[in-house]
Amino acid sequence: MVVFLILLGVAFFVGGYVGVRYVVTSTEPKPIPEVETSEADQAAAKQRWDDFTAGPRPAPVETPTPPPDGTTTTTTEVVPTPTPSTNRIELNRG
């Protein structure tokens, strides 16, 4: 049984070496395909890249305007207050 496992290991090693050496690798490099783009495509890609590197633009802030008659509106709704949370689960021994 031990001899069989040793022969099997040698066969895998030799087969892997031969496969990588002669089947997977090549003696000649593959040619790199040439890509031609127009000036308009290049300018559009550069503009998109510049927009990306500039980062997000802040959204415009809307300010509430009071009603034209000068009255103010009040609501009786309670404004929810955020509860402080560390956003984690604590496990207590007990």
Side-chain angles (χ1 to χ4, degrees):
M1 183 69 171
V2 174
V3 174
F4 174 73
L5 292 176
I6 291 174
L7 289 176
L8 186 64
V10 170
F12 275 117
F13 178 76
V14 171
Y17 174 77
V18 169
V20 169
R21 176 73 170 94
Y22 297 107
V23 177
V24 176
T25 58
S26 176
T27 57
E28 299 175 2
K30 290 185 179 181
I32 298 174
E34 292 185 23
V35 178
E36 294 185 24
T37 58
S38 66
E39 292 292 327
D41 290 341
Q42 291 178 8
K46 180 160 179 29
Q47 179 62 39
R48 287 195 311 269
W49 177 254
D50 291 340
D51 290 344
F52 173 75
T53 56
R57 295 182 182 92
V61 177
E62 296 182 12
T63 56
T65 56
D69 60 357
T71 60
T72 59
T73 57
T74 58
T75 61
T76 57
E77 296 180 19
V78 177
V79 177
T81 57
T83 57
S85 173
T86 56
N87 198 14
R88 65 180 181 189
I89 299 173
E90 295 184 12
L91 301 175
N92 297 325
R93 290 185 179 181

